[in-house]
Amino acid sequence: MSLIDATRRLTAELTNLMNRKVRVILASGKSYEGVLAGFDHPSLNLLLENAMDNEGHKYPKVIIKGERVSEVLAIEIPLFDPEGFKNFIVKEMRLPEHLVQIVPEARAVIVQGRYKVTENGVEGTGPMAETLYEFFKKYIDARKKMLKG
């Protein structure tokens, strides 16, 4: 893997953590837990909203300089897993696997080259989009049950 590919992958992973709860541990040992609202590349400065530090102090927003960050830990497990959704619709809809592609950096599943499915739902129109949306709802309901129990 080239350095450019590694950088893109790191940026994609941080992008996937956007609007999710994370814990940021600083080099000093102090930590913050909150919703990742933004970051910049390549310095990796982070913006957390509704944050709380390890001493229990709450802050509406915290900007953390990238040079101070030791670790960023994902706390929330996303409901939508592109690989899992692909496997689900290939099995349940009996779609040929070559018609269902995953775009990892976008956390998206492309069906028949025309329909895009992400954690936000289905993009596209027509009967196939409606069918995909029904299976999307079933998949999300099943994931919710699995993650709770």
Side-chain angles (χ1 to χ4, degrees):
M1 178 183 290
S2 73
L3 182 58
I4 292 172
D5 290 338
T7 299
R8 283 186 185 145
R9 186 167 182 180
L10 176 62
T11 303
E13 287 298 326
L14 280 172
T15 301
N16 291 335
L17 291 175
M18 290 289 296
N19 301 314
R20 300 209 190 292
K21 198 168 191 178
V22 297
R23 179 175 298 129
V24 179
I25 301 173
L26 307 181
S28 66
K30 185 172 184 168
S31 66
Y32 291 93
E33 197 170 291
V35 176
L36 183 62
F39 69 92
D40 69 349
H41 176 73
S43 65
L44 297 181
N45 295 324
L46 304 174
L47 171 62
L48 298 182
E49 291 182 339
N50 302 318
M52 182 169 56
D53 65 17
N54 53 328
E55 297 171 359
H57 301 106
K58 294 182 180 183
Y59 306 94
K61 294 185 191 283
V62 176
I63 298 172
I64 303 169
K65 291 183 62 81
E67 63 197 33
R68 298 186 61 213
V69 174
S70 173
E71 299 174 51
V72 178
L73 307 170
I75 293 177
E76 284 183 327
I77 298 172
L79 278 178
F80 184 75
D81 171 43
E83 186 71 37
F85 183 72
K86 175 186 176 181
N87 294 337
F88 179 77
I89 61 172
V90 164
K91 179 182 175 192
E92 297 294 319
M93 294 177 69
R94 296 186 176 109
L95 289 173
E97 233 178 289
H98 72 278
L99 293 179
V100 184
Q101 305 298 316
I102 296 174
V103 182
E105 53 276 356
R107 291 190 49 78
V109 176
I110 307 298
V111 180
Q112 296 179 337
R114 297 183 2 203
Y115 306 98
K116 180 178 176 183
V117 184
T118 66
E119 65 185 13
N120 298 322
V122 178
E123 293 178 21
T125 59
M128 181 61 161
E130 292 171 15
T131 300
L132 280 170
Y133 182 69
E134 291 303 315
F135 280 94
F136 173 79
K137 288 192 306 188
K138 287 180 186 177
Y139 172 78
I140 293 298
D141 288 343
R143 287 280 293 176
K144 283 179 183 176
K145 287 178 186 173
M146 181 191 75
L147 293 173
K148 284 185 182 178

